[in-house]
Amino acid sequence: MEARDCKTPQDVLKLIKEKDVKVVDFKFMDFPGLWQHVSHPACQLNESIFEDGAGFDGSSIRGWQKIHESDMLLIPDPATALIDPFREATTLSLICNIAHPITKEKYSRDPRNIALKAEAYLNSTGIGDTAYFGPEAEFFIFDDVRFDSKPNASFYAIDSIEGQWNSGRDEKPNLGYKPRFKEGYFPCPPMDHFQDLRTEMMLTMMACGLDIEMHHHEVATGGQSEIGMKFGSLVSEADKLMLFKYIIKNTAHKYGKTVTFMPKPLFADNGSGMHVHTSIWKGGKNLFYGNGYAGLSEMALHFIGGLIKHSAAILAFAAPSTNSYKRLVPGFEAPVNLAYSQRNRSAAIRIPVYSSSEKAKRIEFRPPDPSCNPYLCFSAIMMAGLDGIQNKLDPGEPMDKNIYDLPAEEAKLIKKVPGSLDAALMALELDHDFLLKGDVFTEDVIEEWIRYKTEAEIDQIRLRPHPYEFALYFDI
């Protein structure tokens, strides 16, 4: 369980020798947002692979190449070298970028390449040199999950020793201590069943070089949790978030548990969000700090203006599953209202006031969830904010009232985030010029994202009867 500060291929080869590494695991991000990997004997690794890459079949990766142009290259990034804490044989993990096998050009649909271009674009604008991101990814720890979908049957069943629905189950003995719905934030053990498991997750993360701030039980029953990770620059933080997920899933698996970052796995309790904190810096100075509302600079307010203007399109990447919109439902404390406020958690954009220091000043965009591809999510958020800065977009007046207590006539005037993935994709189709600046996102990326999400996810949900429809309609 060791992170190593490698900067060059020579550093990686030295680490392999020092640690007697047997296997080198190349990891890369697919289009929708899952880590993929291929493993090589460590004895095959040499300096040339960091330039020439290793071949693989890109047509087998979701949303990528067609069969007649399938060959692609994995180019490992030496700065991501890490000894994998879970593998039996000593294994070195390297995150890779994707390139064309002949031209060596970086692949337009590689999410990490998009994020690298986003960072380069920020520098090219002269606005800032670093965009920092701090995601708060929530998740559920379950004991059992079963699901199936057939022409004549469809079901899912989730279980947790901690689930309130098991308060009456004969567990021989049932010891109680099951958090009530919406009361999981945050009781001590034994009500919190997963203190030790989350602690092991946290310590493993720290041993792997992640800077962790805290962990705790979250609001929902049935094992909802959060582990807080310190902010970092765009690409680095997206890399870390993928390692974060990998460690959480594998630690749970080691103890016979399963983890999901699905935003809404339970009915009638809170879903899992991923509030994203962000700020732009230049020359070591936080450009979001100022003397405006909530201690924000004019630049930060324009950034908020960009988020509000482009929020619907952003959500095509930041809340990218049909299940995301089971969480983003008006009237249930979800961050669906396109307003900004200090402290007010009913607004889509919050300005945290835990600290008034210059370094801590940031904005928090609350609609994203952890089903997203972080490279695309962070890039889209930054590009929308930069568009707001470049065009001096006015975010309007802040909303410091409780939006859910507003009179109906006043509440109707507040714009909402999209109500479905379909609506978010439609917004992306109509509003994506801000993403094309600096060639960060390309037309083929936008087109393929919309096509893939529509055909592979939206259409598949549309075509299938929902189990609850039988409760509503079978007796018609």
Side-chain angles (χ1 to χ4, degrees), residues 340-462:
Y340 70 102
S341 173
Q342 58 182 343
R343 304 183 69 181
N344 191 342
R345 293 169 188 265
S346 61
I349 300 164
R350 187 174 76 97
I351 298 90
V353 292
Y354 298 122
S355 171
S356 59
S357 72
E358 178 179 345
K359 287 187 176 181
K361 188 55 61 181
R362 62 199 187 273
I363 65 172
E364 177 189 357
F365 190 48
R366 296 172 65 80
D369 68 59
S371 71
C372 74
N373 183 324
Y375 299 99
L376 303 182
C377 174
F378 297 167
S379 297
I381 289 171
M382 190 194 77
M383 295 299 288
L386 290 180
D387 186 67
I389 293 168
Q390 290 163 332
N391 292 291
K392 300 187 183 304
L393 297 179
D394 183 356
E397 294 299 314
M399 178 58 67
D400 287 329
K401 304 175 185 178
N402 184 338
I403 295 173
Y404 300 111
D405 289 341
L406 291 178
E409 290 303 312
E410 193 175 345
K412 280 197 300 187
L413 299 176
I414 301 174
K415 292 182 179 180
K416 303 290 191 290
V417 300
S420 67
L421 179 57
D422 210 2
L425 293 176
M426 189 177 299
L428 177 64
E429 187 171 14
L430 296 172
D431 175 29
H432 62 260
D433 286 350
F434 71 99
L435 296 170
L436 304 179
K437 293 179 181 178
D439 199 38
V440 174
F441 288 78
T442 55
E443 286 285 3
D444 85 289
V445 166
I446 303 297
E447 290 170 4
E448 179 59 21
W449 186 261
I450 293 170
R451 185 208 65 79
Y452 177 85
K453 286 288 175 178
T454 301
E455 294 181 6
E457 299 177 25
I458 292 171
D459 287 350
Q460 299 309 312
I461 294 295
R462 282 176 177 153

Side-chain angles (χ1 to χ4, degrees), residues 210-440:
L210 300 184
D211 197 346
I212 303 301
E213 296 180 327
M214 50 70 184
H215 73 77
H216 59 81
H217 202 288
E218 259 297 342
V219 174
T221 189
Q224 191 184 34
S225 298
E226 181 180 326
I227 300 176
M229 182 169 58
K230 191 175 180 181
F231 66 88
S233 59
L234 195 159
V235 175
S236 173
E237 195 69 6
D239 287 345
K240 289 175 182 176
L241 183 57
M242 295 313 299
L243 178 59
F244 171 96
K245 285 186 169 185
Y246 181 78
I247 290 170
I248 286 173
K249 290 178 179 180
N250 279 278
T251 306
H253 191 263
K254 185 167 73 171
Y255 290 98
K257 307 288 185 182
T258 188
V259 160
T260 183
F261 289 90
M262 182 177 175
K264 189 68 173 177
L266 296 181
F267 169 65
D269 212 336
N270 284 39
S272 292
M274 190 183 78
H275 307 149
V276 177
H277 298 251
T278 186
S279 58
I280 293 179
W281 292 53
K282 187 174 184 179
K285 182 179 180 180
N286 184 358
L287 302 181
F288 278 14
Y289 181 75
N291 55 10
Y293 173 78
L296 292 176
S297 66
E298 184 179 42
M299 177 184 289
L301 291 169
H302 290 323
F303 191 100
I304 291 172
L307 288 183
I308 291 174
K309 178 180 178 180
H310 300 298
S311 61
I314 296 170
L315 260 63
F317 295 108
S321 69
T322 59
N323 186 252
S324 298
Y325 299 88
K326 303 292 195 297
R327 167 182 169 257
L328 295 175
V329 177
F332 291 90
E333 300 182 11
V336 298
N337 298 288
L338 290 174
Y340 70 102
S341 173
Q342 58 182 343
R343 304 183 69 181
N344 191 342
R345 293 169 188 265
S346 61
I349 300 164
R350 187 174 76 97
I351 298 90
V353 292
Y354 298 122
S355 171
S356 59
S357 72
E358 178 179 345
K359 287 187 176 181
K361 188 55 61 181
R362 62 199 187 273
I363 65 172
E364 177 189 357
F365 190 48
R366 296 172 65 80
D369 68 59
S371 71
C372 74
N373 183 324
Y375 299 99
L376 303 182
C377 174
F378 297 167
S379 297
I381 289 171
M382 190 194 77
M383 295 299 288
L386 290 180
D387 186 67
I389 293 168
Q390 290 163 332
N391 292 291
K392 300 187 183 304
L393 297 179
D394 183 356
E397 294 299 314
M399 178 58 67
D400 287 329
K401 304 175 185 178
N402 184 338
I403 295 173
Y404 300 111
D405 289 341
L406 291 178
E409 290 303 312
E410 193 175 345
K412 280 197 300 187
L413 299 176
I414 301 174
K415 292 182 179 180
K416 303 290 191 290
V417 300
S420 67
L421 179 57
D422 210 2
L425 293 176
M426 189 177 299
L428 177 64
E429 187 171 14
L430 296 172
D431 175 29
H432 62 260
D433 286 350
F434 71 99
L435 296 170
L436 304 179
K437 293 179 181 178
D439 199 38
V440 174

Side-chain angles (χ1 to χ4, degrees), residues 30-324:
D30 74 2
F31 203 47
L34 286 178
W35 250 0
Q36 309 293 320
H37 80 130
V38 59
S39 300
H40 297 264
C43 60
Q44 289 187 0
L45 201 73
N46 53 50
E47 281 189 42
S48 65
I49 203 166
F50 290 89
E51 186 172 332
D52 298 335
F56 76 105
D57 179 5
S59 69
S60 296
I61 305 302
R62 298 178 296 171
W64 277 9
Q65 295 292 83
K66 297 177 181 177
I67 192 67
H68 64 276
E69 49 186 10
S70 59
D71 290 347
M72 303 292 287
L73 289 177
L74 294 165
I75 310 291
D77 182 348
T80 64
L82 176 79
I83 300 296
D84 191 310
F86 299 103
R87 307 284 64 87
E88 186 174 340
T90 306
T91 299
L92 181 77
S93 173
L94 286 163
I95 298 175
C96 299
N97 298 316
I98 311 302
H100 190 278
I102 299 173
T103 65
K104 301 290 178 68
E105 289 182 2
K106 291 181 178 178
Y107 184 42
S108 65
R109 295 184 196 171
D110 173 14
R112 196 168 189 264
N113 176 38
I114 291 169
L116 287 166
K117 289 191 292 182
E119 287 190 324
Y121 176 69
L122 172 61
N123 273 277
S124 75
T125 65
I127 291 171
D129 53 38
T130 308
Y132 284 114
F133 288 85
E136 298 178 349
E138 298 166 345
F139 56 95
F140 279 88
I141 302 168
F142 293 133
D143 291 289
D144 186 65
V145 57
R146 294 173 291 120
F147 51 89
D148 203 354
S149 182
K150 302 174 183 178
N152 68 322
S154 182
F155 83 99
Y156 71 90
I158 293 166
D159 208 3
S160 169
I161 186 66
E162 207 191 65
Q164 175 64 25
W165 57 86
N166 284 324
S167 61
R169 184 173 67 178
D170 183 4
E171 296 179 343
K172 304 185 188 304
N174 187 326
L175 301 179
Y177 296 114
K178 302 182 191 299
R180 288 178 284 273
F181 292 106
K182 299 182 181 295
E183 292 187 24
Y185 193 87
F186 19 84
C188 290
M191 187 69 84
D192 177 359
H193 286 236
F194 300 115
Q195 171 71 15
D196 291 337
L197 181 58
R198 288 196 313 270
T199 294
E200 182 167 334
M201 291 170 178
M202 178 184 72
L203 295 176
T204 304
M205 290 175 187
M206 293 170 68
C208 289
L210 300 184
D211 197 346
I212 303 301
E213 296 180 327
M214 50 70 184
H215 73 77
H216 59 81
H217 202 288
E218 259 297 342
V219 174
T221 189
Q224 191 184 34
S225 298
E226 181 180 326
I227 300 176
M229 182 169 58
K230 191 175 180 181
F231 66 88
S233 59
L234 195 159
V235 175
S236 173
E237 195 69 6
D239 287 345
K240 289 175 182 176
L241 183 57
M242 295 313 299
L243 178 59
F244 171 96
K245 285 186 169 185
Y246 181 78
I247 290 170
I248 286 173
K249 290 178 179 180
N250 279 278
T251 306
H253 191 263
K254 185 167 73 171
Y255 290 98
K257 307 288 185 182
T258 188
V259 160
T260 183
F261 289 90
M262 182 177 175
K264 189 68 173 177
L266 296 181
F267 169 65
D269 212 336
N270 284 39
S272 292
M274 190 183 78
H275 307 149
V276 177
H277 298 251
T278 186
S279 58
I280 293 179
W281 292 53
K282 187 174 184 179
K285 182 179 180 180
N286 184 358
L287 302 181
F288 278 14
Y289 181 75
N291 55 10
Y293 173 78
L296 292 176
S297 66
E298 184 179 42
M299 177 184 289
L301 291 169
H302 290 323
F303 191 100
I304 291 172
L307 288 183
I308 291 174
K309 178 180 178 180
H310 300 298
S311 61
I314 296 170
L315 260 63
F317 295 108
S321 69
T322 59
N323 186 252
S324 298

